Amino acid sequence: MSRDRNGPGTGPLLQALLAAALFGAATPASKALLAGVTPFQLAGLLYLGAAVAVLPFVIRNRLPARASRLPRRTLLQLLGAVACGGLAGPVLLLFALRMASSASVALWLNLELVCTILLGILIFRDPLTTRGAIAGAGTLAAAVLLSVSEGTAGVWAGLLLFAACLCWGVDNHLTAMIDRLSPAQTTFWKGSIAGSVNLAIGTIASPWTVPTATIAFGLVVGALSYGLSITLYIAAAQRLGATRSQIVFSSAPFFGVLLSALALGESISLLQSLAVVLLVPSIAVLTAENHAHRHGHAAVSHDHWHRHDDDHHDHDHAEIEARAGHSHAHSHSPVTHSHPHWPDLHHRHEHERDGGDSR
């Protein structure tokens, strides 16, 4: 069996980068859509579109018939992700977007990186190594340059965005730890529940006079910028940890600026160019991170989405292709070993101050 002895590789990083590009396109598209719908109505459409987009993958991978069949820990993580990332975060963002320009809002969304890093350090056992900290600092510096180039989006818009990013920071860590659902299944539950609730609230609070073309456009934007984007992000976060995935994902505003230049003819300023110069090497530093030390795993039996190209899943299958992603109940024997790893589902352990290679 071929295993990855050098960490998760570039695959999860590319997933997070593509997720960022798709999400970056959502802000200008949502700004246009807000002309005909309320924030609650649009949040509902976007997340229902996300649920529809991943439904074929969910059916193929056997969606659980009832969420109540999930273990209590997984159910609480999922409900927390739905409440923070699906219900509160999008609505707060759209209210801010109604007050400020799409460019300013897109740039301020880098606060999500700050919130995710702080929550990871303080609560979720997702610490940064030296290289990870350098990558995070470089990405944050690039975000500051972008914000300076646009000016402030207003006090109220800024406060709403901070609240939205705090919600998404919690959501990022919770979804990275969900171990009984595939990324598509997590996205489906988040999109269908949050989308339905927000759409119901929006319909009750305001008359439903949305044109068919607007509904269709909102569903398409949701399918791509939320459905596919969230699925890719969760897949990356489950292998990289929420903090590292968020460092890459924080490049979303750069894609927004680029798309504005290409589609709307907006010019790119010197500060924006300097921000890109900071971002690219920051992500490059993250890809070179090599965290390895001796650590132990207790015996455990669980059911989660996994592949067989790592150091922890060497059980045999009679019918399942080992290299394909799949989910089933399996057991791990106790083991103590050393190998390159990031804070994925199997590596949420404590670290000694002087232990291991934390480059």
Side-chain angles (χ1 to χ4, degrees):
M1 180 184 305
S2 175
R3 298 184 187 174
D4 181 1
R5 298 290 185 180
N6 298 307
T10 59
L13 293 166
L14 292 176
Q15 288 175 326
L17 196 62
L18 181 54
L22 291 169
F23 186 70
T27 305
S30 297
K31 182 71 172 180
L33 285 165
L34 280 172
V37 294
T38 68
F40 276 102
Q41 291 171 347
L42 181 54
L45 286 174
L46 291 174
Y47 271 73
L48 285 175
V52 171
V54 300
L55 185 57
F57 302 99
V58 168
I59 293 174
R60 185 183 68 182
N61 295 317
R62 297 181 182 179
L63 173 70
R66 294 197 307 268
S68 59
R69 291 180 178 176
L70 295 171
R72 184 173 182 273
R73 177 174 175 269
T74 302
L75 182 59
L76 290 175
Q77 290 169 341
L78 178 62
L79 291 176
V82 169
C84 294
L87 288 170
V91 172
L92 291 167
L93 165 66
L94 293 173
F95 272 108
L97 189 56
R98 202 163 61 169
M99 298 179 184
S101 69
S102 60
S104 294
V105 170
L107 302 177
W108 276 92
L109 280 173
N110 272 289
L111 286 170
E112 185 178 349
L113 169 65
V114 179
C115 292
T116 302
I117 289 176
L118 291 177
L119 289 168
I121 293 173
L122 298 175
I123 299 175
F124 290 100
R125 294 196 301 174
D126 188 359
L128 283 177
T129 63
T130 301
R131 289 186 179 180
I134 291 173
T139 304
L140 181 58
V144 171
L145 280 178
L146 276 176
S147 298
V148 169
S149 71
E150 286 289 325
T152 60
V155 174
W156 286 108
L159 289 174
L160 287 171
L161 280 168
F162 176 76
C165 291
L166 189 61
C167 288
W168 276 322
V170 174
D171 174 36
N172 291 335
H173 285 287
L174 290 176
T175 53
M177 295 187 293
I178 291 175
D179 64 355
R180 298 297 176 102
L181 296 171
S182 71
Q185 289 169 337
T186 301
T187 303
F188 176 83
W189 285 118
K190 185 185 294 185
S192 57
I193 296 173
S196 299
V197 171
N198 278 333
L199 188 60
I201 294 173
T203 303
I204 293 171
S206 302
W208 180 257
T209 58
V210 184
T212 303
T214 301
I215 295 174
F217 185 38
L219 291 173
V220 170
V221 172
L224 295 176
S225 296
Y226 287 86
L228 183 55
S229 177
I230 291 173
T231 300
L232 288 168
Y233 176 80
I234 294 173
Q238 288 183 348
R239 298 193 71 191
L240 302 179
T243 299
R244 289 157 181 80
S245 298
Q246 187 55 219
I247 289 174
V248 181
F249 191 75
S250 66
S251 62
F254 296 89
F255 290 103
V257 171
L258 180 61
L259 290 172
S260 296
L262 294 176
L264 305 177
E266 296 181 1
S267 60
I268 298 178
S269 69
L270 176 61
L271 285 178
Q272 290 170 339
S273 300
L274 290 175
V276 174
V277 171
L278 275 172
L279 177 70
V280 173
S282 296
I283 295 178
V285 168
L286 187 64
T287 65
E289 186 178 17
N290 182 25
H291 179 73
H293 61 90
R294 191 166 182 81
H295 59 278
H297 299 271
V300 62
S301 294
H302 58 181
D303 182 344
H304 71 92
W305 191 257
H306 63 279
R307 296 170 62 92
H308 284 232
D309 55 357
D310 59 27
D311 292 86
H312 299 91
H313 299 94
D314 56 357
H315 48 267
D316 295 325
H317 292 291
E319 300 177 355
I320 300 175
E321 170 59 42
R323 288 186 175 273
H326 55 275
S327 178
H328 63 88
H330 59 279
S331 298
H332 297 273
S333 300
V335 63
T336 299
H337 58 182
S338 176
H339 66 96
H341 62 277
W342 285 354
D344 57 20
L345 293 172
H346 293 85
H347 297 95
R348 291 277 171 169
H349 47 255
E350 300 291 347
H351 292 82
E352 298 293 336
R353 288 177 178 262
D354 59 347
D357 177 1
S358 58
R359 291 177 290 162

